[in-house]
Structures are given as structure tokens and as C-alpha cells.
Amino acid sequence: MLRTTYQGGVAHNDAESATYTKVTWRLIPFLFLCYVFAYLDRVNVGFAKLQMLSDLKFSETIYGLGAGIFFIGYFLMEVPSNLALHRFGARKWIARIMISWGVISAAMIFVKSPTMFYVLRFFLGVAEAGFFPGIILYLTYWYPASRRSKITALFMTGIPIAGVVGGPLSGWILERFHNVNGLPGWQWLFLIEAIPSIIAGIVTFLYLDDSIAKAKWLSAEEKATLERNLASESGKIEVSHASGAFTNARVWVLCACYFGIIMGLYGIGFWLPTLIKASGVTNSLDIGLLTMIPYGVAAVTMILVGQSSDRTRERRWHVAIPAVVGAAGLVISTIVPAQPAFAVLSLTLATAGILGALCQFWSIPPAFLGGAAAAAGIALINSVGNLAGFVSPYVVGWIKDATQSTDIGLYCVAFSLVAAAFIVMTVPKRVVNH
């Protein structure tokens, strides 16, 4: 006899739960690993900065512009890339994305001038465009809304785990490989950390399935269960045509909300090593080890917030409250004494809050977008929001050059997070809480 359980008012029997467990073990660990590689290649410039700026005589403003210009290329290609994924399938398109970004990330070893730095960061953004929204779209092909928040959180823990793994790894590479074969540590950093992305891209082509129907590892009964659950919520989709994503007011509201959250994400992502160094830690490996703490706590927080959101079927407060907590952490980091313990504690609060808000945000757009509109809308929100990835590091870098302090820049980032919390609460409850 099948046992039936209830989650947020939705019934699930044992066979159905076992099917979703099978899908999750097949997809999420691999996609999670790919996201770790993606995020590591995107933000390892924050560690390279510890040596790169003095070697190349770059100012903080040049670094901030180069770190941020990635998102201009990302913005321009995001929607076309996601529509291409919807048309050609995730297997081919995600493989293409990963291989191309790995090659361009490795090419960062040739940077000699600001112009070369800007060009390669721009094309890294072009190459990676479509990866994250493509995966968010891909998950909607397998999971109904009632299960999606926790699954999205599991996938997106790739961000903090990239920090847990990448911090010590990047610090170790900078120290251990500095001047090996005449190359500085920052060049080795870009080269070594690009290789896993290229390998994962090749594996993606061989491993992923484009849809439930093409999954040979599922039985006919399991496929029918998955497809039936997706079909049952199709009536709740408000927009299904690609053009509708550009004219829907809620999509643009979510663009503004996501912009504020991403201001926080890259305020932390690009400046965490620098902020820890400013507290008195000078050794690159020690800085890398200390960055494990904020990201490790954030990974646990993301999963717990995702579980709470799916259990209660509530989405808006699960974005707003963590965003405000993240803002508080950033403000506190400017107030506490400049000592490593205080810096790590305040930045842990900030990182956990920001990443908690980020992962829950992505349970909202698929609640009312479907089909080609989901492909276009998710990409549009991600591309517009990620323009904050250009604004955040550039503004903080410019303010640091002008004032010799990051405090005002961090206040701006904190304000953006609070604004995002208010904006998400304007989305009607009935639209997102299912």
C-alpha cells in the first residue's frame, strides 16, 4: 500500500517521491558541480587581484571596471542564449557554454594591459551567458513548483561551495605556484581553475538529457508521473509566449528586485578577500581559508531557507527577510573593529543573507512564466539583474580609490538589498505562493 505524505498542502505518495529522488540524484550533483566551476571562473579574479594589480600596475578603478565589464557581455547575450537552449536543447548548449568559457578564462593568463583585461572579461561574459538561467529553465522541465524551491537552493549552493573550495584553493595556488616556470601565481590561478570547466563541458554533452521523454534511465511509469505533475500546473501559467515576457509588468518588477540582490552578491563575491585582508590578514592562503566560513554558513542557510519555503509554500518573505539580514551584515562590517574575527562574523551574516535571498528569488518567475516565455523571461531577469555585477564592483572600486575606504560603497550595496526586499513584496501573493 502506498503511503501518502503532505507538503504545503500537496499530496505525494512513496512511488512519486522515489521518482523525484532518482531524478535529483541524477541531475543535481552534476549541475551543482558545473555551477561551482562556473562561479569559480567568474569570481577568481577577486583572488587574482591580490597579486595582479601590483604586477600590472592596475588601479582599483581598473580592476572594478574589468571585474564588472563581464556583465555587459553577459547582458547582451543572455536572452538569445536561453532561447537557443530552449530550441536546441540543454545538452548541446550547456556543453558549448562551458567549453567556451573555460577556454576564455584560461586566456586571462595573457593579460598585460587594461584593454586586454577588459576585452577578455567582456568575452568571458558573452561565453557564459545563458548558463545559469538555462539551468533554472532546465529544472522547470523536471520539477513542479511545489518542489522547485528546495531543488533550486541545492543547485545554487554551488555559489557558496565555490567560495568554500575556491577560497583555499585560490590562495594555495597564488602561494604555491608563484614564479613557477617564471609565471606569477595569478596566471597559474586562471589556467588551473579553467581546466575543470572544459572537462565538465565535454561530460555535459555525454551525460545530460534534454527532456523527461529522452531520459533512458527512467521507466515509462516514472516518466508519466513526472509529466503528469508538470501538466497539472500548466493552467497556473499566465505568460507562455516569448514576446509576453518583455511586456509583462511583473517581469520588470522582478528585474529591479534581482538587480538589488545581485548588487549584494557581487559586492561580496568580488570584495570578500579584500575586506578580510583589510582586517589585518596578509597571507593569501589564510585569506582563502577564512573565506570558507561565510560561504560554508551560507550553503547551509540556503538549504534551510529552501526547505522552509517549500514546506510553507511562501516565497516573498523568504526573499525579503534574508535580503535585509544581508544588508545588516554589510553595514555591521563597516562598524565593528578592523579585526579578523569581527570581519568574518559580520561578513558571514552578510553572505548568508544575500545567498539565502538569491536562491529563493528563483522560485518566483517560473510560477507565472512557462514555455518560451520562461526561457525569455528568466534570461531577461537574470541579464538585467546581472548588470549590477557591473555596477557593484566598479562603484565600490571607484569609491575606494576616491576615499581610501570601502564603507560608502558597502552602504550603497546594503541599500540595494533593502530596496530589493521592498520590491519583492509588491508581487501579489497569489501569483507566487504555490
Side-chain angles (χ1 to χ4, degrees):
M1 181 177 178
L2 292 179
R3 184 172 60 90
T4 300
T5 59
Y6 290 86
Q7 179 179 329
V10 179
H12 303 295
N13 62 50
D14 285 346
E16 179 181 311
S17 295
T19 299
Y20 280 106
T21 298
K22 184 177 182 179
V23 171
T24 298
W25 278 108
R26 170 77 183 192
L27 299 181
I28 300 304
F30 179 70
L31 296 176
F32 161 85
L33 191 62
C34 291
Y35 197 34
V36 169
F37 297 151
Y39 197 76
L40 196 58
D41 281 345
R42 184 187 299 186
V43 302
N44 60 8
V45 69
F47 273 94
K49 170 182 182 286
L50 300 176
Q51 292 180 356
M52 189 179 183
L53 266 62
S54 58
D55 276 3
L56 300 178
K57 305 297 187 292
F58 286 179
S59 67
E60 296 284 355
T61 303
I62 289 174
Y63 165 73
L65 179 57
I69 206 167
F70 167 97
F71 295 97
I72 302 300
Y74 196 84
F75 169 79
L76 293 174
M77 294 303 298
E78 190 83 326
V79 173
S81 182
N82 228 35
L83 290 173
L85 183 146
H86 183 64
R87 179 176 179 181
F88 299 117
R91 184 174 65 92
K92 293 178 182 177
W93 200 251
I94 292 174
R96 192 283 305 164
I97 289 172
M98 296 191 70
I99 293 169
S100 61
W101 97 49
V103 170
I104 295 171
S105 184
M108 289 289 291
I109 67 172
F110 300 113
V111 168
K112 299 294 183 186
S113 66
T115 300
M116 191 179 297
F117 182 43
Y118 300 153
V119 168
L120 284 176
R121 287 289 297 176
F122 174 83
F123 280 106
L124 184 64
V126 169
E128 194 186 320
F131 175 78
F132 174 77
I135 299 298
I136 297 297
L137 176 66
Y138 184 64
L139 293 177
T140 69
Y141 297 165
W142 299 84
Y143 296 94
S146 61
R147 294 180 180 269
R148 208 174 290 144
S149 185
K150 179 184 174 182
I151 292 299
T152 302
L154 287 171
F155 163 63
M156 291 186 67
T157 53
I159 295 177
I161 296 303
V164 170
V165 175
L169 175 63
S170 297
W172 179 76
I173 292 172
L174 288 176
E175 293 288 328
R176 173 64 180 81
F177 285 84
H178 189 54
N179 289 329
V180 172
N181 291 332
L183 296 178
W186 65 267
Q187 289 183 317
W188 282 109
L189 175 64
F190 285 123
L191 180 61
I192 291 171
E193 292 187 352
I195 293 171
S197 296
I198 298 171
I199 295 173
I202 296 170
V203 174
T204 296
F205 184 78
L206 303 173
Y207 184 79
L208 278 192
D209 297 289
D210 288 332
S211 65
I212 294 170
K214 294 182 179 179
K216 296 179 180 179
W217 44 274
L218 289 172
S219 68
E221 184 178 349
E222 289 168 335
K223 291 179 182 180
T225 296
L226 298 175
E227 290 171 341
R228 181 174 62 249
N229 287 346
L230 291 177
S232 68
E233 64 177 22
S234 61
K236 300 173 184 177
I237 299 300
E238 296 182 2
V239 187
S240 57
H241 297 291
S243 60
F246 296 91
T247 57
N248 187 279
R250 291 193 188 108
V251 170
W252 291 102
V253 167
L254 292 178
C255 286
C257 175
Y258 196 56
F259 186 94
I261 296 172
I262 294 296
M263 282 288 288
L265 177 66
Y266 289 108
I268 286 290
F270 287 124
W271 291 96
L272 183 58
T274 301
L275 294 171
I276 291 177
K277 183 177 182 179
S279 72
V281 183
T282 56
N283 181 273
S284 296
L285 180 56
D286 291 340
I287 293 171
L289 290 171
L290 286 174
T291 62
M292 290 177 65
I293 299 172
Y295 284 120
V297 173
V300 175
T301 301
M302 291 169 76
I303 294 172
L304 293 177
V305 174
Q307 289 176 331
S308 173
S309 180
D310 275 347
R311 184 176 64 254
T312 61
R313 306 293 295 281
E314 199 291 318
R315 311 303 184 190
R316 301 180 307 163
W317 285 107
H318 283 81
V319 175
I321 292 175
V324 172
V325 170
L330 289 176
V331 172
I332 292 170
S333 74
T334 69
I335 298 172
V336 296
Q339 297 176 12
F342 289 114
V344 170
L345 284 172
S346 58
L347 292 171
T348 295
L349 184 65
T351 306
I354 292 165
L355 289 173
L358 179 72
C359 71
Q360 288 315 295
F361 174 87
W362 286 109
S363 65
I364 296 177
F368 64 94
L369 297 173
I378 290 170
L380 178 64
I381 292 166
N382 194 56
S383 62
V384 173
N386 268 286
L387 286 176
F390 171 77
V391 175
S392 183
Y394 179 69
V395 167
V396 177
W398 178 79
I399 290 174
K400 188 170 187 286
D401 275 341
T403 66
Q404 303 307 308
S405 171
T406 56
D407 288 1
I408 297 175
L410 292 179
Y411 294 150
C412 292
V413 172
F415 174 81
S416 298
L417 286 164
V418 173
F422 279 101
I423 291 169
V424 77
M425 297 304 295
T426 68
V427 179
K429 177 180 175 181
R430 61 175 177 77
V431 173
V432 298
N433 288 2
H434 60 77

